[in-house]
Amino acid sequence: LLMLYASSASTFTTAAFSAAFSAVATNRPDTSNIRELLLSDVPLLDVRAPVEYEAGSIIPATINIPILNNEERHEIGICYKEHGQEAAIVLGNQLVTGTLKADRMKQWAEFARSNPDGYLYCFRGGLRSRTVQEWLELETGIRYPLIEGGYKKMRQFLMDELERSLDPERSDLIIIAGKTGVGKTRVIDHLGPQRSIDLEGLAHHRGSSFGDTPEDIRQQSISQIDFENSISMSLLKLLAAADSPTDDDMRQRERTRVYVEDEGSRIGRFTLPHTLWTGMKQCNKLVIVDEDLEDRVTMILEDYIFDYGRRFVALYGEELGPVLHREKMLGDLARIRNKKLGSENLARLTGIMGSAFDEQESSGDTALHRVWISDLLSQYYDPMYEYQLSQRVDPEVLFRGKCNEVSQWAANN
């Protein structure tokens, strides 16, 4: 696709507007140092069309203010294929002109003023980003740097970096394992991004059959590519921080421990990158979280009934929120298909869950929720966990204990 190029004609320049932005740094060069750029978390201005941005972006420090909307991009693409480059350039300048151009110029300039350390980019660092860069400089006096190679180069860097980060000579993966409800995610939260990768947090999903969060059900704005980019960026930052010498330890560790929660190949609607999933399957170093059944039921009750209930109400209100929460939980249960659970047990648990929501609504009593949670753990999740653990080759259990004990051990090892 040929993107439109800058035209010398302008209706946007005014002395007052130019003066307002003249203080923005104008001498920073364009950059091709993707590693430094991503580690610094500088704000990024993505001028690709919305459809491109939604398919994959460098998050979270990115805002999309396109030079061409989806329809304009499509129209120019057809023109280029049928009539060639020169005709596409002419059409681009006809489409983005007047008040439309002025409005986009204003948004770009406001971004530059608010983010004087940022950069802009398009897909390849070509005509679209250079057009925005030239328009800004000509009409506002702002010389805003771009990323050479654009999004394509950043995406390739992140995929290559993921391979490098997961090299066994570079990082030492440790799997936090344990039955459903023992608090594995709480261990990850305790360790934080300096020691662990929160895969479920990046996926906006809790990993189980009931794991879709209320917010993601509503928005579903994160793409598979976003998910992959986020994992690579998290690893990049974790390893970069570990490589930095400190007053306590001036020697760089040869291999950095990276804790991840035991997961399947998919978390909700996202698929783990092949390199990561392969590394997790082959990893034999485990830290196992153990909790008794009653404590696990309490933890799941808090996460999926109380916490989800509050979040549904916050999103949809006191009347609709509880209805949608109930529908979500019953729908998730209905999607469980497993021979060990069986259709009769599934129907029985569905009835108990429905009655539990009725009882909770009428009296606030959640005792019936504990019944279906306990049965589902013992009849479905626990056998599945035992089977998956048995498939690991020569597992080495580095530590085993309750959630708080594992959190403390992992933080110190």
Side-chain angles (χ1 to χ4, degrees):
L1 172 66
L2 178 72
M3 288 14 121
L4 77 104
Y5 194 64
S7 69
S8 59
S10 171
T11 61
F12 184 70
T13 303
T14 68
F17 191 81
S18 179
F21 295 105
S22 61
V24 176
T26 59
N27 295 321
R28 290 187 302 128
D30 298 340
T31 186
S32 60
N33 190 335
I34 305 302
R35 177 182 295 274
E36 180 180 317
L37 185 76
L38 296 179
L39 285 173
S40 65
D41 280 329
V42 298
L44 303 178
L45 172 59
D46 186 333
V47 300
R48 296 175 301 157
V51 66
E52 298 171 278
Y53 178 77
E54 291 163 6
S57 64
I58 305 298
I59 55 175
T62 307
I63 185 171
N64 181 225
I65 309 176
I67 186 172
L68 299 171
N69 64 29
N70 295 338
E71 293 75 18
E72 293 159 352
R73 173 178 175 268
H74 179 68
E75 191 172 344
I76 290 173
I78 292 175
C79 181
Y80 175 72
K81 290 178 182 178
E82 295 181 352
H83 304 291
Q85 174 176 325
E86 186 174 345
I89 291 174
V90 171
L91 176 60
N93 285 308
Q94 291 173 349
L95 291 174
V96 185
T97 188
T99 57
L100 180 62
K101 177 182 176 183
D103 179 64
R104 292 175 188 176
M105 284 285 293
K106 180 181 178 181
Q107 293 182 68
W108 297 325
E110 287 175 347
F111 179 90
R113 178 182 61 178
S114 300
N115 303 283
D117 56 341
Y119 291 84
L120 68 90
Y121 67 90
C122 60
F123 183 66
R124 294 185 179 88
L127 284 173
R128 283 183 291 183
S129 55
R130 295 194 181 278
T131 295
V132 173
Q133 185 182 61
E134 291 185 17
W135 280 356
L136 279 171
E137 186 168 10
L138 285 171
E139 303 189 16
T140 71
I142 300 171
R143 202 289 177 180
Y144 208 63
L146 59 78
I147 300 170
E148 296 173 356
Y151 173 78
K152 184 178 181 181
K153 183 172 183 178
M154 289 189 286
R155 167 68 174 170
Q156 187 60 57
F157 170 85
L158 285 171
M159 293 301 94
D160 292 343
E161 185 63 27
L162 186 62
E163 297 278 346
R164 290 190 291 267
S165 296
L166 293 170
D167 187 325
E169 295 185 1
R170 181 75 183 84
S171 60
D172 185 18
L173 272 183
I174 308 293
I175 304 296
I176 298 176
K179 295 178 180 179
T180 299
V182 295
K184 299 185 292 294
T185 300
R186 285 165 170 78
V187 176
I188 294 290
D189 290 342
H190 179 81
L191 292 173
Q194 298 81 16
R195 303 295 310 282
S196 67
I197 304 300
D198 184 3
L199 297 173
E200 292 183 5
L202 296 175
H204 298 273
H205 194 280
R206 282 181 166 162
S208 74
S209 301
F210 302 89
D212 277 321
T213 65
E215 295 79 8
D216 197 50
I217 292 170
R218 186 179 194 181
Q219 298 176 7
Q220 294 202 346
S221 57
I222 306 300
S223 71
Q224 173 68 30
I225 291 175
D226 291 333
F227 178 59
E228 295 167 358
N229 288 346
S230 296
I231 292 173
S232 183
M233 287 181 66
S234 297
L235 276 166
L236 172 69
K237 292 177 180 180
L238 185 157
L239 295 174
D243 287 347
S244 301
T246 65
D247 293 338
D248 296 326
D249 181 10
M250 296 300 292
R251 294 177 302 173
Q252 178 177 322
R253 296 177 63 176
E254 293 184 1
R255 299 174 72 214
T256 300
R257 278 194 169 176
V258 179
Y259 290 92
V260 294
E261 184 173 344
D262 197 9
E263 304 283 358
S265 61
R266 293 183 62 84
I267 303 177
R269 56 194 176 89
F270 298 118
T271 302
L272 289 179
H274 178 73
T275 302
L276 176 58
W277 170 232
T278 300
M280 290 172 65
K281 282 197 302 181
Q282 294 174 350
C283 178
N284 66 344
K285 294 183 179 180
L286 305 181
V287 176
I288 298 180
V289 186
D290 282 326
E291 296 285 352
D292 62 40
L293 180 61
E294 194 65 21
D295 288 338
R296 292 163 58 206
V297 171
T298 298
M299 201 168 296
I300 289 175
L301 184 67
E302 170 58 37
D303 286 349
Y304 292 98
I305 301 303
F306 297 145
D307 180 52
Y308 271 18
R310 289 188 292 266
R311 290 157 71 177
F312 268 102
V313 168
L315 285 171
Y316 299 101
E318 294 283 349
E319 184 174 344
L320 183 58
V323 174
L324 295 178
H325 179 206
R326 176 189 180 120
E327 289 179 354
K328 175 233 178 327
M329 296 297 292
L330 286 167
D332 289 343
L333 180 61
R335 282 189 287 274
I336 292 178
R337 294 289 182 268
N338 184 273
K339 292 180 180 179
K340 292 182 180 179
L341 183 61
S343 58
E344 290 185 7
N345 272 334
L346 182 59
R348 181 179 61 84
L349 292 175
T350 299
I352 297 173
M353 182 189 284
S355 298
F357 275 108
D358 290 339
E359 184 66 27
Q360 182 184 8
E361 182 180 2
S362 63
S363 68
D365 188 351
T366 58
L368 272 179
H369 280 301
R370 302 185 72 91
V371 174
W372 71 259
I373 292 171
S374 178
D375 285 359
L376 191 61
L377 288 176
S378 60
Q379 297 175 29
Y380 175 65
Y381 283 107
D382 289 0
M384 182 168 58
Y385 167 77
E386 297 292 351
Y387 172 76
Q388 291 170 346
L389 185 62
S390 71
Q391 298 305 298
R392 289 194 176 274
V393 179
D394 299 325
E396 177 187 357
V397 179
L398 303 179
F399 186 81
R400 190 171 199 142
K402 290 185 174 294
C403 179
N404 63 329
E405 295 170 339
V406 170
S407 295
Q408 292 301 319
W409 182 89
N412 295 315
N413 288 274

